[in-house]
Structure formats: C-alpha cells, structure tokens
Amino acid sequence: QVQLVESGGGLVQSGGSLRLSCAASGSIFSFNTMGWYRQAPGKQRELVALITSGGYTNYASSVKGRFTISRDNAKNTVYLQMNSLKPEDTAVYYCYVPRESGRWPEYWGQGTQVTVSS
C-alpha cells in the first residue's frame, strides 16, 4: 500500500518560511510527477507546484518566486520550500501524485496545515 506522508506544516508569521516534505512509501515505482495542492476553507483545492523526475517545474502564479519545489528521485520524496509567506497562503497543503495508466493510480497525502498570521 502506497502512502504519501506530509510533514513540516505549522504556524508562522507573515514573511516567514516553512519547508514541507512528502515521502512516498510502499511503491516499487519511481513517480514521474509529484507535486503540491492546497485548499483553504471555503475554497476549491488548487495546484501549487509540480515537478517531474527530469526537473521540470510548474508553479501557480501566486507563489512563483516565493516557493520552490524540489525532489529526491531515489527516495520518491518531494519538498516545498515556502518563503515570504503571506496570510493568503494559509491552507491545508496536500502532496499529490498523478495517475499513470497501467502503472499506478492517483495518490494524495493526508494534508498538513499551514497557517500564516499577519
């Protein structure tokens, strides 16, 4: 059974930093794409960032320049370095692996809370 386990969330002041980690366990596959979504109360879940095994990255415009996604391919682990945090970054952050047909289904982590106070 594959599990995605996030860690690193917490409460920080505006302008502060956090580093989120997501470790995938229980899979014989090395996931091609891994990423992060977030969901704030009353809002839809939104994409934050994606990264491929080849290092291609994609960011939401709201976080570009402040957040950096990275990964350790050998460990199927993805990170999200969040700098210059703003109150509007407050959300539950979810680790995500998209489905690869015939190889693995979509996976989601349990989520980790990030709260940014003004």
Side-chain angles (χ1 to χ4, degrees), residues 1-4 22-35 51-55 71-78 95-100 103-108:
Q1 177 65 40
V2 171
Q3 295 185 62
L4 304 180
C22 171
S25 64
S27 177
I28 64 171
F29 299 108
S30 296
F31 299 126
N32 181 42
T33 302
M34 302 181 73
I51 185 168
T52 71
S53 59
R71 63 184 290 168
D72 183 330
N73 290 334
K75 296 182 179 297
N76 271 345
T77 299
V78 63
C95 186
Y96 168 71
V97 173
R99 175 175 60 94
E100 288 280 345
R103 301 183 70 188
W104 59 80
E106 181 180 272
Y107 290 113
W108 291 93

Side-chain angles (χ1 to χ4, degrees), residues 47-99:
L47 176 68
V48 178
L50 295 172
I51 185 168
T52 71
S53 59
Y56 173 84
T57 58
N58 186 48
Y59 296 93
S61 61
S62 59
V63 307
K64 193 172 185 179
R66 299 188 297 119
F67 291 10
T68 302
I69 189 170
S70 60
R71 63 184 290 168
D72 183 330
N73 290 334
K75 296 182 179 297
N76 271 345
T77 299
V78 63
Y79 307 93
L80 187 68
Q81 178 66 47
M82 304 185 294
N83 298 327
S84 302
L85 283 162
K86 305 174 180 179
E88 51 262 44
D89 295 317
T90 295
V92 177
Y93 284 70
Y94 296 91
C95 186
Y96 168 71
V97 173
R99 175 175 60 94

